[in-house]
Amino acid sequence: MEQPHGLHFLDGMNQENIRRSMMEASHHGSKALNKYLDLSAEVAEAMAQGKPVVALESTIISHGMPYPQNVETALKVEAAIRECGAVPATIAIIGGRLKAGLSAEEIEYLGRMGRKVAKASRRDLPVLVARKMDGATTVTTTMIIAAMAGIKVFATGGIGGVHRGAETTMDISADLEELAKTPVMVICAGAKSILDLGLTLEYLETKGVPVIGFGTDELPAFYTRHSGFKVDYRLDTPEELAAAFRAKLEMGLEGGMLVTNPIPEEWSMDPSRINGAIDQALAEADAQGIHGKEVTPFLLARIKDLTGGDSLASNIQLVLNNARLAARTAALL
Ligand code: PSU
Ligand code: MN
């Protein structure tokens, strides 16, 4: 696969031209299911042939990791999915088009733009599309676009949830609502303790979202394998994940399924160190009055800085681990 371009990739080029050429390139061979949706040629072909496809989000690229590791990771994750015999469909909004399947240039573009790209949740879609803008998709919008494209399995790092202090801020991620209504299996490494994990599980229970531990009875806490909270069910194989999700779909039960896959032991972090960084980041966010959609990106960036980049290395490994499980599971659906 082509490596990300060097630092000069966007220099001196008019952004509008780049966007137009990217759109023309990916209009080719795309099969429109929804008039706003474009599948890449590779994803369209895989869907037509019934090959396994795994959706990937793009906010993790633009807002979740720094450049250039974000682009390198996104390409590595795609390669890992291909090695497992599935086709990756990285999802984003480019020039107002909903995209399932990005080119390496589009991934580079989102990675370079970073937090200048709109972080697009469900409420952002109408205006971004009407204005022909770009947007990086969160778990929520990646699920929406994956479902439009007919993709059933989605791998990411962490999901949004009920924030600590939500009883006064009402900061509850739209990701939880989407899991309640959109039929996509989301494979993640649990949730970071920037969230209130107990309240997040209560919310998911109310909304009827199954929370599965892959090979564990305990909800993993993203950087670590332990949170002290139990999952609803432990399933041990991709076959069991596929069977449970198929049963859900065939019963006509709306909504998705949350699979939490613990970070591999060798990459898990020391809990007291990571929790110290999380507590400090939370205190800084509070002192600086960070709120709304800025909260999660602010915390992710601060945690990375406070751990001297170690959290980034763990983050990359857990995403790869989730991508491989997603590819194996998608092959069974
Ligand atoms: N948690 C992570 N990494 C991420 C995100 C969350 O560990 O990159 C991103 C995902 O795109 C998720 C979004 O859907 O943040 C949630 O944002 P909010 O809390 O504003 O709903
Ligand atoms: Mn929020």
Side-chain angles (χ1 to χ4, degrees), residues 163 171-173 292:
H163 280 262
D171 191 349
I172 299 173
S173 176

Side-chain angles (χ1 to χ4, degrees), residues 15-311:
Q15 262 185 31
E16 198 48 48
N17 287 340
I18 294 172
R19 179 182 298 161
R20 199 169 304 127
S21 68
M22 290 193 309
M23 286 184 61
E24 278 161 11
S26 54
H27 262 302
H28 252 297
S30 72
K31 178 179 138 208
L33 303 169
N34 176 297
K35 73 185 266 208
Y36 296 99
L37 173 66
D38 293 327
L39 306 189
S40 68
E42 186 190 14
V43 170
E45 194 194 333
M47 295 303 294
Q49 297 180 355
K51 282 203 230 154
V53 177
V54 175
L56 299 164
E57 62 156 304
S58 46
T59 292
I60 191 174
I61 304 173
S62 59
H63 293 66
M65 291 183 189
Y67 183 84
Q69 290 93 336
N70 55 359
V71 172
E72 286 163 16
T73 304
L75 296 176
K76 264 195 215 161
V77 168
E78 289 204 339
I81 289 171
R82 288 197 176 91
E83 275 163 30
C84 295
V87 170
T90 301
I91 289 179
I93 303 153
I94 309 264
R97 300 295 301 171
L98 310 180
K99 299 279 186 186
L102 299 185
S103 64
E105 288 73 22
E106 287 167 325
I107 289 173
E108 170 74 17
Y109 169 74
L110 292 171
R112 291 265 294 179
M113 292 288 282
R115 286 164 73 172
K116 283 182 281 186
V117 176
K119 174 182 160 188
S121 190
R122 177 177 268 271
R123 57 104 187 260
D124 303 293
L125 287 181
V127 173
L128 290 178
V129 167
R131 286 191 173 163
K132 304 195 185 324
M133 291 170 69
D134 300 327
T137 54
T138 62
V139 167
T140 295
T141 37
T142 304
M143 289 179 75
I144 294 171
I145 296 168
M148 280 181 189
I151 302 169
K152 295 190 183 70
V153 181
F154 162 24
T156 188
I159 60 157
V162 180
H163 280 262
R164 293 203 215 165
E167 55 278 22
T168 50
T169 62
M170 291 187 70
D171 191 349
I172 299 173
S173 176
D175 293 351
L176 303 183
E177 295 293 330
E178 209 58 51
L179 281 161
K181 65 183 156 215
T182 301
V184 173
M185 179 192 291
V186 178
I187 301 185
C188 70
K192 292 195 172 80
S193 46
I194 59 174
L195 303 173
D196 186 317
L197 300 182
L199 292 185
T200 300
L201 289 174
E202 290 292 348
Y203 200 92
L204 289 167
E205 179 187 2
T206 301
K207 292 286 174 176
V209 178
V211 179
I212 308 298
F214 184 71
T216 180
D217 292 304
E218 191 177 346
L219 178 75
F222 198 88
Y223 297 116
T224 65
R225 296 170 62 89
H226 304 287
S227 68
F229 292 95
K230 287 246 176 292
V231 291
D232 303 329
Y233 295 94
R234 168 184 176 150
L235 299 179
D236 290 313
T237 61
E239 285 76 11
E240 285 186 287
L241 297 179
F245 194 55
R246 187 177 306 113
K248 176 161 191 177
L249 295 176
E250 289 178 352
M251 281 186 281
L253 291 179
E254 64 191 355
M257 178 174 280
L258 186 64
V259 175
T260 63
N261 185 27
I263 184 171
E265 192 79 62
E266 64 270 36
W267 291 100
S268 72
M269 296 184 71
D270 171 40
S272 66
R273 178 149 175 258
I274 190 69
N275 290 330
I278 288 172
D279 288 342
Q280 185 177 334
L282 283 166
E284 289 177 16
D286 198 34
Q288 294 179 37
I290 309 288
H291 65 273
K293 69 197 287 188
E294 302 304 327
V295 172
T296 300
F298 175 89
L299 294 173
L300 297 179
R302 283 304 289 145
I303 291 164
K304 190 219 76 184
D305 290 344
L306 291 166
T307 57
D310 289 357
S311 67

